[in-house]
Amino acid sequence: MPGPGAPDPVLAACGVPATAVEYVAARFPDAAAWFAEQVAAGRVVGDGGVVVTPETPYDPGASVWFHRPVPDEDAPPVTLEVLYADEWIIAVDKPHGLCSTPKGENVRRSVVVAARCQFHNDEIAALHRLDRSTGGVLLLCRHAEDRGDFHRMFQERTVRKTYWAVARVNDRVDRETVRVESRIRKIQGVVQAFEEPGEVNAVTDVRLAKRFTDDDGEWGLYEVAPLTGRTHQIRVHMTSLGLPLRGDKLYPDPREDFDVEDPDNPLQLIARSIAFTHPRTGRETVVESRLTPSSHEAWRRGHAALAEGPLGMLGRNAS
């Protein structure tokens, strides 16, 4: 429960409520009646497992815990393409438009839940995240007891990632790698991340891999290597270079339909490859996505032939 001044729609519209139940009912009005039933049945708890009642006061910074009903129960099943698998981890090619983890109305339509159903394993968890609009390599851990060793790779920044991104061309980025360093901040409830003064916490290397022209003008295919993992880091840094990504509805300025996926023209950002020393085997492991910008309708229009030779060559360079 956020405190006064937080960018929260309930606080902005109604002020600080008297009780925790009032806040949750206002935050999820479509489920208010259902939530009241859960409270009456004693199924809602606070921090430490204390049962929440209709009289429990609103406590800024505290949490209330409950299981929301699955809103997409009738959603068609998702079959994930497996890129790599062993007894500890699975790497899948996350489609554009699919959440990495359950969020809001996307429960079954998330990689984690789809993987748990596909592989009959309720312990599967994501080791990192990709934005819903981003496609490409996503690592999953099969068993809870193994997560620590694999999470440590990301915490210690020993995992090497490369992305493909499509954007316009300018004179700030060419064949030589350009490094972008800044401080990025993401506030809960605010859709965009932003750069601010202060200690650097986000570093990204960018280089132009290929130029191409289609009916919409001249574009560049960029190889992008984030050295840190801030929310929306690539999108923020590419925008700061004057190169917002093709298909991006959120940067530089959010569109009214920024949260609606366009399957014919998704965000043209692909987690192309991920490389790491396997904590269990000690082997250098490289996993590559099978997605390419040529998978996108917007790319195919006007230059289908480019999807053959040059992209294959770039794929070898990226690995």
Side-chain angles (χ1 to χ4, degrees):
M1 293 177 282
D8 181 86
V10 174
L11 301 188
C14 310
V16 178
T19 68
V21 172
E22 286 180 23
Y23 172 78
V24 177
R27 183 70 178 83
F28 305 107
D30 293 342
W34 170 87
F35 182 70
E37 294 176 357
Q38 303 304 299
V39 172
R43 298 193 187 103
V44 180
V45 298
D47 294 323
V50 178
V51 174
V52 170
T53 72
E55 291 74 36
T56 299
Y58 183 92
D59 183 7
S63 300
V64 293
W65 303 86
F66 56 96
H67 292 281
R68 296 177 66 191
V70 178
D72 56 352
E73 190 72 39
D74 296 329
V78 176
T79 300
L80 302 166
E81 182 173 5
V82 176
L83 302 171
Y84 171 88
D86 59 30
E87 60 184 289
W88 302 281
I89 58 174
I90 305 169
V92 299
D93 231 352
K94 186 185 92 63
H96 295 276
L98 196 66
C99 292
S100 296
T101 58
K103 183 179 181 181
E105 295 183 353
N106 297 284
V107 178
R108 289 187 182 276
R109 287 197 57 77
S110 66
V111 173
V112 166
V113 174
R116 288 176 177 180
C117 294
Q118 183 171 335
F119 304 109
H120 309 289
N121 179 355
D122 287 340
E123 291 189 32
I124 287 177
L127 290 168
H128 60 115
R129 294 190 183 190
L130 297 177
D131 292 343
R132 179 164 65 119
S133 300
T134 304
V137 181
L138 185 69
L139 287 186
L140 308 172
C141 190
R142 290 183 185 269
H143 304 293
E145 64 266 23
D146 296 321
R147 291 175 197 164
D149 288 340
F150 287 94
H151 272 305
R152 199 168 299 114
M153 301 188 309
F154 294 91
Q155 294 168 351
E156 297 175 353
R157 298 180 182 176
T158 60
V159 178
R160 301 175 301 284
K161 305 175 188 175
T162 60
Y163 287 71
W164 276 346
V166 176
R168 295 293 186 183
V169 293
N170 62 24
D171 58 2
R172 299 182 66 181
V173 181
D174 208 322
R175 304 287 179 171
E176 295 297 321
T177 297
V178 173
R179 175 161 291 183
V180 185
E181 299 180 315
S182 70
R183 180 173 185 81
I184 293 178
R185 185 181 177 196
K186 177 70 169 66
I187 299 174
Q188 185 176 4
V190 178
V191 296
Q192 285 186 319
F194 58 91
E195 293 177 297
E196 64 179 6
E199 183 180 355
V200 169
N201 65 2
V203 182
T204 308
D205 286 343
V206 184
R207 75 175 186 89
L208 177 64
K210 179 165 288 295
R211 294 172 182 258
F212 67 92
T213 302
D214 66 10
D215 294 341
D216 295 324
E218 187 175 13
W219 299 89
L221 179 63
Y222 295 86
E223 184 176 292
V224 184
L227 279 66
T228 53
R230 311 304 299 185
T231 299
H232 295 178
Q233 176 175 321
I234 292 176
R235 298 161 78 175
V236 170
H237 277 171
M238 290 293 285
T239 299
S240 73
L241 291 168
L243 300 169
L245 304 186
R246 192 173 193 175
D248 197 341
K249 297 181 178 182
L250 192 54
Y251 295 91
D253 300 306
R255 288 171 35 175
E256 289 187 4
D257 63 341
F258 72 87
D259 58 346
V260 178
E261 297 295 325
D262 181 355
D264 289 334
N265 186 23
L267 174 70
Q268 297 204 14
L269 179 63
I270 296 169
R272 170 59 185 166
S273 69
I274 189 167
F276 55 93
T277 301
H278 199 297
R280 289 289 189 265
T281 67
R283 296 173 184 166
E284 184 68 11
T285 304
V286 180
V287 183
E288 292 188 339
S289 171
R290 297 190 181 111
L291 297 176
T292 72
S294 62
S295 306
H296 303 165
E297 181 63 28
W299 173 284
R300 288 196 295 267
R301 288 196 300 268
H303 46 79
L306 191 59
E308 299 300 329
L311 275 179
M313 186 179 300
L314 180 61
R316 288 191 293 274
N317 292 338
S319 65

